[in-house]
Amino acid sequence: MNRFAEVRTWPLLAFALLVGLQAIVLTVTLGGFAVDGWLAWVGMASLVLTVVLAVAVVSTLARTQARAKLAQRTMEEAIDALPASVEIFDAEDRLIAYNKRLVEIYPHMLRHFQHKSTFEDLVRESLARGGIPEARGREPEWLEERKQARGRQLTPLLQRVHDDMWLRIYESRTPSGGIVGVRMDVTDLIHEQQRLAASRAQLRATIESAANGILTLDSGGHVLEANPSCELLFGFTAAELQGVHLGMLLGTATTTATATATSTATASTDPGATPDAPLDPRALLGQPREFTARHRSGEALHLQLALAEVRTDTIHLYVCIVTDLTERKRQEERLRRANELLARQSTTDGLTGVGNRRLFDQLLQTEWHRATRANRPLALLMVDIDHFKQYNDCYGHVSGDDCLRRVATLLRSCAGRGGESVCRYGGEEFAVLLVDTDLAGAQVVAQRCLDSVRLAAIEHVGSPVRRSVSLSIGVASFIPQNGDAAQRLIQTADAALYEAKQAGRARLICQQQTA
């Protein structure tokens, strides 16, 4: 950095010698006038004193100069050690002082620095060398704008130089009219900002194009931002969603032991409607949760939420990924219903609508084992339509099918439990399985079946028993024991049915055996 002018001591020394000479001249003059001897001695003493004072002044000035030089050198070294450049211009805008960092930034300008060029000359030199990329193609206009703004900027000036360096320039005008400038290399900061901006742009593009809904929530669970998929999902714009609590969109959550929560939101076209119990975002951290919410139109939505917490020294928020499971749930429901229908079809008699033989076998095994464990009775009615072959011969198979359907319906109404225990065993024969029913209870049901068919008065002129359809029923009831086979219940009830037929039909016969 340019050195300040050194303090000079020779003028003071000359002044002291001049005073001494004047004293000598005065002494000689007084002596020429024959002044008394004592006065000469006074003159000589004055001369000596003057010389002593002059020497003291010179010594003091020398020490002061040394301290000034040390302070100036310390200041110069400190300014040279700064990571930023320092430049000082006088009132005529000429460079009068600078540090090493300025030369490192503009090494090609050293000659101009040494010659105390003006700021305008320095800028013109940089423009001529193409050292200011932002001014290329409009150098005169840029120079004029720079001169007009010089020393008047309210904020630092950001300038790119040498194509690969960014400087932040601070300029302040001094009371004497000069300007002090500081240039800081912020290239790394600008590159980091550019990388961050690119990363943010990439993240924004990813969020905007994501098929899943993405919500940014504050620490209290209120929506800060919502991507387009969320707008489409809920039917509200991002502006309408902003500030809305997550619980107002989803309603009250009920968490299961498998970490899956199901919530039924109130149907509302207002996202600001108050939910029964606002959701705490902290309670949703961890495994994804499932909720039932509603679209603005009132359409039910099945959603899966995955929540992540973002916490730093300065921010605390949550990012919520919302996956629309509505269509998948609909497909699952359709599949469930199809499977139920298929299961019913596979276990339902296509003609009568009651269970088929396959269902009967399944029910018998299930209830037999249950009765065995509980030590409770299990009863079975084997039901046969009397002289059904003659009915078909007399009325035809179409009427015979209708007769089977009517009898099946009557049996279901008599069996209780929704009639699910009534099954078509084969042809005109039906089986009625009665759970937790002893022989007396089974006999009551069997009698009810006989009476119901008799009262229905289904015409059967070909029957030798009576002129309407009648039933023969074999009744059996067991309390199963371990090791027993369920087939024995069928055999016992079938034997009772055989006895009923042999006894003249249109009746019931009961048989009871202990296993």
Side-chain angles (χ1 to χ4, degrees):
M1 184 172 179
N2 285 4
R3 299 294 183 262
F4 295 103
E6 296 180 357
V7 179
R8 306 297 181 179
T9 59
W10 65 266
L12 295 175
L13 181 59
F15 170 75
L17 292 176
L18 180 61
V19 172
L21 288 174
Q22 289 177 346
I24 295 173
V25 170
L26 178 61
T27 303
V28 172
T29 302
L30 291 176
F33 285 98
V35 182
D36 295 337
W38 66 270
L39 188 59
W41 284 105
V42 170
M44 291 298 295
S46 298
L47 176 61
V48 172
L49 180 61
T50 300
V51 172
V52 171
L53 289 175
V55 171
V57 169
V58 170
S59 176
T60 301
L61 289 176
R63 288 195 299 273
T64 302
Q65 182 181 12
R67 285 195 297 269
K69 286 183 178 180
L70 178 61
Q72 181 173 337
R73 184 169 62 253
T74 302
M75 181 183 67
E76 291 174 354
E77 292 174 351
I79 294 177
D80 279 340
L82 291 175
S85 71
V86 177
E87 54 198 58
I88 302 174
F89 293 83
D90 61 14
E92 296 179 355
D93 215 7
R94 292 182 176 278
L95 182 66
I96 60 174
Y98 56 90
N99 67 349
K100 293 191 303 183
R101 182 58 182 149
L102 186 67
V103 178
E104 292 173 357
I105 297 175
Y106 303 98
H108 56 281
M109 301 284 288
L110 178 59
R111 180 173 58 85
H112 297 276
F113 296 158
Q114 293 172 341
H115 285 77
K116 299 183 178 180
S117 298
T118 65
F119 175 77
E120 182 175 349
D121 292 339
L122 295 174
V123 174
R124 289 186 182 278
E125 178 66 20
S126 290
L127 292 174
R129 292 174 175 271
I132 306 177
E134 64 185 81
R136 290 171 187 169
R138 54 182 301 270
E139 285 83 354
E141 295 83 355
W142 189 92
L143 175 59
E144 189 61 29
E145 293 171 1
R146 182 72 175 89
K147 288 168 57 181
Q148 292 297 324
R150 179 162 167 76
R152 298 184 178 92
Q153 302 98 324
L154 298 178
T155 58
L157 174 67
L158 182 64
Q159 188 177 99
R160 184 159 63 102
V161 298
H162 311 322
D163 290 325
D164 59 350
M165 177 181 287
W166 290 85
L167 299 177
R168 195 175 297 280
I169 303 174
Y170 301 81
E171 292 180 342
S172 300
R173 192 169 292 277
T174 65
S176 62
I179 290 180
V180 177
V182 176
R183 298 170 184 255
M184 297 184 63
D185 185 356
V186 292
T187 305
D188 291 342
L189 177 61
I190 295 300
H191 288 171
E192 183 62 29
Q193 289 178 344
Q194 291 173 342
R195 287 192 294 269
L196 181 59
S199 177
R200 286 178 175 173
Q202 182 179 3
L203 178 60
R204 172 59 58 185
T206 301
I207 292 175
E208 294 294 328
S209 61
N212 289 343
I214 300 177
L215 292 170
T216 303
L217 312 174
D218 63 16
S219 59
H222 298 90
V223 176
L224 297 174
E225 294 184 41
N227 72 338
S229 292
C230 269
E231 295 180 300
L232 183 64
L233 180 61
F234 290 104
F236 297 100
T237 65
E240 290 173 319
L241 291 172
Q242 190 172 13
V244 175
H245 195 278
L246 181 63
M248 296 179 183
L249 291 175
L250 304 178
T252 305
T254 303
T255 307
T256 65
T258 59
T260 300
T262 303
S263 169
T264 303
T266 57
S268 173
T269 58
D270 180 8
T274 303
D276 294 336
L279 297 179
D280 184 351
R282 293 173 299 179
L284 301 180
L285 294 174
Q287 296 296 324
R289 316 287 182 94
E290 292 187 10
F291 294 87
T292 300
R294 290 195 181 275
H295 186 269
R296 185 173 197 163
S297 63
E299 178 186 3
L301 300 173
H302 294 273
L303 308 176
Q304 183 186 73
L305 267 66
L307 205 69
E309 186 177 20
V310 179
R311 184 190 288 269
T312 67
D313 293 338
T314 57
I315 63 172
H316 181 206
L317 51 83
Y318 298 91
V319 176
C320 182
I321 308 298
V322 185
T323 304
D324 187 5
L325 304 179
T326 305
E327 186 57 33
R328 194 186 80 178
K329 290 293 184 180
R330 289 172 181 168
Q331 292 178 355
E332 290 177 355
E333 180 64 18
R334 288 193 289 266
L335 181 60
R336 185 187 64 80
R337 292 178 180 176
N339 288 335
E340 289 180 353
L341 178 59
L342 181 61
R344 285 196 300 270
Q345 290 175 344
S346 65
T347 57
T348 301
D349 179 60
L351 176 62
T352 62
V354 298
N356 59 13
R357 177 66 180 270
R358 178 182 180 183
L359 178 61
F360 171 75
D361 291 339
Q362 293 174 356
L363 288 175
L364 178 61
Q365 291 299 324
T366 300
E367 298 301 338
W368 181 267
H369 290 301
R370 183 177 292 131
T372 301
R373 292 193 301 270
N375 196 33
R376 305 293 294 176
L378 181 65
L380 175 64
L381 310 183
M382 296 297 291
V383 182
D384 185 73
I385 301 176
D386 293 332
H387 303 292
F388 188 71
K389 181 179 182 302
Q390 288 83 347
Y391 188 94
N392 279 332
D393 293 343
C394 182
Y395 297 97
H397 288 281
V398 174
S399 296
D401 291 345
D402 184 61
C403 178
L404 287 173
R405 283 191 289 268
R406 293 184 65 183
V407 170
T409 301
L410 292 171
L411 292 177
R412 291 182 66 177
S413 66
C414 296
R417 290 187 58 193
E420 68 272 11
S421 60
V422 178
C423 300
R424 187 180 178 189
Y425 196 74
E428 69 276 13
E429 195 169 11
F430 295 86
V432 181
L433 193 62
L434 302 175
V435 178
D436 199 15
T437 305
D438 58 13
L439 189 61
Q443 184 175 352
V444 171
V445 175
Q447 187 61 52
R448 189 185 305 142
C449 293
L450 291 176
D451 295 341
S452 180
V453 172
R454 178 176 55 81
L455 292 174
I458 304 171
E459 183 180 304
H460 186 358
V461 297
S463 174
V465 179
R466 58 172 180 255
R467 299 186 64 84
S468 63
V469 172
S470 62
L471 303 177
S472 295
I473 303 177
V475 182
S477 178
F478 279 3
I479 298 178
Q481 301 296 322
N482 289 329
D484 288 342
Q487 194 65 24
R488 293 189 58 189
L489 183 61
I490 298 176
Q491 293 172 351
T492 303
D494 193 56
L497 174 61
Y498 180 78
E499 290 184 20
K501 290 180 179 180
Q502 292 297 315
R505 300 178 185 270
R507 69 191 64 221
L508 65 89
I509 296 293
C510 298
Q511 288 194 9
Q512 183 175 22
Q513 286 187 351
T514 58

